[in-house]
Amino acid sequence: MLPQIIFGYFAIVTIVLSLVIITRKNPVHSVLWMLVLFFHIAAIYLFLNAEFIAAVQVILYAGAVLVLFLFVIMMLNLKEELSSERFIGEWPIGVALGLSILLFIFFSIAKLAPGPLGKFTIELIQKETHTKAIGKVLYTEYILPFEVASLILLIAIVGAMVLAKKRT
Amino acid sequence: MNIPLPDLTPIIPEIIMSIVTCALLTVEVFVKDKTKDFLGIICIGTALAVMYMIPMSQGVTFGGMFISDGYSSYFKFIFLISLILTILISFKFIQREDAEFGEYYSLLMFATAGMMIMASSADLILLYLGLELMALSTYILAGIKRHDTRSNEAALKYFLLGAFSSAILLFGISLTYGLTTSTNIYQIAEHLKQGETSITLLIAMIMIICAFAFKIASAPFHMWAPDVYQGAPTSVTAFFSVGPKAAGFAVIGRVFFIAFESLQMDWTAILIGLAILTMAVGNILAIVQTNMKRMLAYSSIAHAGYALLGIIAGTTEGLNAVMTYLLIYAFMNMGAFAIVILLEKGENIKDYNGLSKSHPLVAAMMLVFMFSLTGIPPTAGFIGKFNIFMAAINAGYTWVVVVAVCFSAISAYYYMRIVMNMFMKPMEAEAKIYPNPANGAALLISLLMVFIIGIMPSVVIGYTFQMFM
C-alpha cells in the first residue's frame, strides 16, 4: 500500500506543478517551479527502477536545461512580460489537442507490448547496475547511433559559432 | 570483455565524409587566405572520391542497423551530385552575398553525410539521427546570412517547424516500437505480417508520414518552403530543393516499402490524397508568385507531388521511376538556380524581361531548364514524368495520373511565363551577369545531362542503375 501512496503523491504533484508552471505570470517563477517538477519526475523514474534516467533527469534537466532557460529569460523584457496576457486567444484549441492526445494514449496503451528482454534479466541488472548495462549496450550494439549523435552535437556548436561570430 | 570491431566497409563513404569535414573545420582556422575557395575544392574532391567508392562498399553492418545496397547507393549518388553542383554555384556567389564562412562548406558536407546515413539506415533510431544531422545543418545554412532579416526569418521558421516535425516523427517511432517491440525496419515488417492492424498502428504510421511529408515539402506540410526558399541564400535554396527532398524520398521508400509493407492499402490511400493536394497547392499557388525563388519553391512542392506517384504505384518499377525522377530533377533544378545566381538581380520575375536581347545565351539556357521542368521533350524532364506516370498507370492508378497530367498542364503556364518574359517582353534595363568558371561548369553539366538523359534515356538511366544497383 505504501508504494502506491508515495507514487500517488508524486503523480498528483507532477500534474499540479505542470499547471502551476504554465499559469505563472512571471517567467522566473515558472522556471523555479519547473526545478521542483523535474525532481518529482526523477522520483517517478526511480519508481520504474530506472535509476540512470533519474540521475540524468536531475543532472541534465534540473542542472543544464534550466540554466539555459534562465539565460533566455534574461534576454526578455520582464516588465513587458508581466503586463501581457499569459495565454494567447487560441488556448482552447491547445487544450482540445492535449486532451485528445491524452485520450489516444489512454486507449492505445493496452496495445503496447514490452520490448524483448534479451540477456538483460532483472538479476543481471541488479548485479551490474543500470549505468554499466546501458554503457555496455551504448558502446557496442548502439555505437553507430551514438557516434552520429556526437556529430549532431558538433553541428550545434558550429552553428552557435557561425550565427554569433563577430562580423569581420 | 572482448568486443569485436564491426565490419566498417559498408560505412566507409560516411566515415570519409565526416572525417574530411571535421578536418576542414580545423584547417579553416589556420589558413589566412582571403577567400575560402580551396575548402570548396577539397569538398568537391572528397565528394568525387566518395562517389567512386560507393559501389565498392556494399553490405550490412552494425548488427543490421546500417545497410549499403543498390537502393541507398543510388540515392547517395544523387546527394553527392547535388552537393557538387551546389558548391560549384556557391563559389563566387557567397562572397557576393557576404556569407562566406569556412563553415558554409562544412555544413553542406555534414548535411550530405546526414542524408547518406538516412538513405542507408535500416533502424528507425539511426534514421532519426541521420535526419537530425541533416536538418540541423540545413537550419544553420538557411540563416547563414545572419545580417539579413529574411535569412534569419527563414532559419527560425525552418527550425521551429522542423523541430515540431521531428517531435511528431519521434512519437510515431516510439508508438511503432511499442507495438512491434523493435526499431529495426525488417523486424518491424516481420512482426506486422503476423499481427492484425490496429488504430494505434495506423496513427503511428500517419505520424511518420507527416514528418516525412514535411521533409519533402508536400502539402499540407509545405508552409515553410516558400519563406525558407526565399530567405535563404540562393545557393542554399538550390541545395534544399534537391538534397533533403531526395533524402525524404529515400526514407519513404525504405520505411513504407519494407516496414509497413503489410499496410500498403492504407498508406497508398493517404499518399494519394497527399499527392493530389501537393500538386494542386504547388501548381496553383506558383501561378500568382512574382518572386522567382518563391515560384521555384512552389514548383518544387509540385514536383514532390509528381514523385509521390511513383511511391503510390507501390511497385519496383514505381520506385525506380522515383529515383530516376529525382536524379533528373537534381540537374534541371540546379540548372535553373544556377541561372538565378548568375544574374545580379534574378529574384524578381520582372528582372527576366527582355533577357534574350542582352544575354541570348543565358536566356537560351533558362529556356531549356524551364522546358525541362515543364516536361517537354526532348528534355530530361519529360522522361522523368513519363516514367513516373507509366509506373502509376501500370499499377492501376490511371485516374491519379489523369489528375497529375492536368496539373502538369497548369504548370506550363508559370514556367512559360518566364520564357515569354525573356523572349517577348521589351528589355527594361540591361541585366548584369556575374559569369565565373565554376558556375559555368555547373550550368554546363546540368545542361548536358538534361539533353543527354532527354535524348538517350535508356543509355544513361541504364548505366547509372548498372553502376549503383
Side-chain angles (χ1 to χ4, degrees), chain B residues 148-194:
Chain B
D148 182 281
T149 41
R150 272 198 184 285
S151 185
N152 293 347
E153 185 202 340
L156 203 61
K157 258 192 187 147
Y158 199 16
F159 172 68
L160 288 177
L161 290 173
F164 198 58
S165 85
S166 290
I168 293 176
L169 176 65
L170 274 183
F171 201 22
I173 289 177
S174 60
L175 280 174
T176 314
Y177 173 73
L179 291 166
T180 60
T181 71
S182 175
T183 52
N184 187 295
I185 288 175
Y186 292 90
Q187 279 167 21
I188 291 174
E190 281 296 306
H191 195 278
L192 290 184
K193 266 178 203 142
Q194 301 152 9

Side-chain angles (χ1 to χ4, degrees), chain A residues 125-143:
Chain A
I125 297 278
Q126 271 173 353
K127 210 179 81 203
E128 286 210 322
T129 72
H130 257 117
T131 316
K132 196 175 173 190
I134 289 179
K136 264 188 187 163
V137 175
L138 203 57
Y139 283 98
T140 53
E141 205 178 321
Y142 287 93
I143 182 75

Side-chain angles (χ1 to χ4, degrees), chain B residues 222 226 230 279-299 347-350 410-415 417-418 421:
Chain B
H222 67 285
Q230 190 186 1
M279 288 186 285
V281 167
N283 284 318
I284 292 171
L285 288 183
I287 292 175
V288 294
Q289 302 305 322
T290 54
N291 181 298
M292 188 68 184
K293 276 159 84 181
R294 277 186 96 82
M295 192 211 89
L296 284 173
Y298 280 108
S299 121
E347 294 248 337
N348 261 318
I349 287 179
K350 272 205 195 109
I410 294 175
S411 79
Y413 172 79
Y414 57 86
Y415 292 129
R417 190 172 50 162
I418 307 283
N421 278 5

Side-chain angles (χ1 to χ4, degrees), chain A residues 104 113 145 155 159 162 165 167, chain B residues 98 129 133 137 140 146 178 203:
Chain A
F104 169 63
I155 288 178
V162 169
K165 201 156 61 174
R167 194 172 202 168
Chain B
D98 195 18
L129 287 170
L133 182 60
S137 317
I140 301 163
R146 62 207 156 87
I203 291 179

Side-chain angles (χ1 to χ4, degrees), chain B residues 233-299:
Chain B
T234 313
S235 54
V236 175
T237 310
F239 184 67
F240 282 1
S241 66
V242 178
K245 207 178 272 276
F249 276 104
V251 289
I252 287 180
R254 182 89 75 184
V255 171
F256 291 112
F257 275 65
I258 295 169
F260 292 124
E261 196 195 357
S262 48
L263 294 174
Q264 195 173 12
M265 291 290 282
D266 302 295
W267 58 253
T268 309
I270 298 168
L271 287 185
I272 287 177
L274 274 188
I276 291 176
L277 191 64
T278 307
M279 288 186 285
V281 167
N283 284 318
I284 292 171
L285 288 183
I287 292 175
V288 294
Q289 302 305 322
T290 54
N291 181 298
M292 188 68 184
K293 276 159 84 181
R294 277 186 96 82
M295 192 211 89
L296 284 173
Y298 280 108
S299 121

Side-chain angles (χ1 to χ4, degrees), chain B residues 113-423:
Chain B
M115 293 172 206
M116 288 163 73
I117 291 171
M118 278 167 84
S120 269
S121 58
D123 193 286
L124 292 178
I125 295 177
L126 189 61
L127 190 154
Y128 168 72
L129 287 170
L131 189 137
E132 280 299 287
L133 182 60
M134 173 194 86
L136 266 183
S137 317
T138 49
Y139 303 149
I140 301 163
L141 280 172
I144 202 146
K145 271 162 71 183
R146 62 207 156 87
H147 297 285
D148 182 281
T149 41
R150 272 198 184 285
S151 185
N152 293 347
E153 185 202 340
L156 203 61
K157 258 192 187 147
Y158 199 16
F159 172 68
L160 288 177
L161 290 173
F164 198 58
S165 85
S166 290
I168 293 176
L169 176 65
L170 274 183
F171 201 22
I173 289 177
S174 60
L175 280 174
T176 314
Y177 173 73
L179 291 166
T180 60
T181 71
S182 175
T183 52
N184 187 295
I185 288 175
Y186 292 90
Q187 279 167 21
I188 291 174
E190 281 296 306
H191 195 278
L192 290 184
K193 266 178 203 142
Q194 301 152 9
E196 83 284 24
T197 46
S198 63
I199 303 273
T200 316
L201 183 64
L202 273 184
I203 291 179
M205 194 186 72
I206 289 171
M207 282 176 172
I208 294 177
I209 290 181
C210 291
F212 290 164
F214 176 87
K215 285 287 166 246
I216 62 168
S218 150
F221 309 101
H222 67 285
M223 302 296 183
W224 57 278
D227 290 335
V228 173
Y229 282 29
Q230 190 186 1
T234 313
S235 54
V236 175
T237 310
F239 184 67
F240 282 1
S241 66
V242 178
K245 207 178 272 276
F249 276 104
V251 289
I252 287 180
R254 182 89 75 184
V255 171
F256 291 112
F257 275 65
I258 295 169
F260 292 124
E261 196 195 357
S262 48
L263 294 174
Q264 195 173 12
M265 291 290 282
D266 302 295
W267 58 253
T268 309
I270 298 168
L271 287 185
I272 287 177
L274 274 188
I276 291 176
L277 191 64
T278 307
M279 288 186 285
V281 167
N283 284 318
I284 292 171
L285 288 183
I287 292 175
V288 294
Q289 302 305 322
T290 54
N291 181 298
M292 188 68 184
K293 276 159 84 181
R294 277 186 96 82
M295 192 211 89
L296 284 173
Y298 280 108
S299 121
S300 93
I301 294 171
H303 281 278
Y306 304 135
L308 272 177
L309 290 185
I311 305 277
I312 289 167
T315 52
T316 321
E317 187 198 359
L319 207 53
N320 287 348
V322 173
M323 287 150 81
T324 313
Y325 190 83
L326 288 169
L327 182 69
I328 292 169
Y329 176 71
F331 286 119
M332 59 193 187
N333 217 36
M334 281 289 178
F337 274 109
I339 301 266
V340 177
I341 283 178
L342 189 65
L343 296 168
E344 187 195 21
K345 282 189 299 195
E347 294 248 337
N348 261 318
I349 287 179
K350 272 205 195 109
D351 296 336
Y352 294 80
N353 284 1
L355 192 66
S356 65
K357 277 136 199 135
S358 52
H359 302 286
L361 189 63
V362 177
M365 284 193 283
M366 193 60 163
L367 171 93
V368 172
F369 294 128
M370 287 297 134
F371 270 29
S372 186
L373 283 167
T374 320
I376 296 173
T379 54
F382 168 73
I383 304 297
K385 268 189 190 158
F386 181 78
N387 277 345
I388 290 256
F389 291 169
M390 273 316 281
I393 288 174
N394 287 345
Y397 295 101
T398 315
W399 69 274
V400 189
V401 173
V402 171
V403 175
V405 170
C406 291
F407 281 122
S408 185
I410 294 175
S411 79
Y413 172 79
Y414 57 86
Y415 292 129
M416 289 308 123
R417 190 172 50 162
I418 307 283
V419 174
M420 200 189 75
N421 278 5
M422 287 192 304
F423 285 90

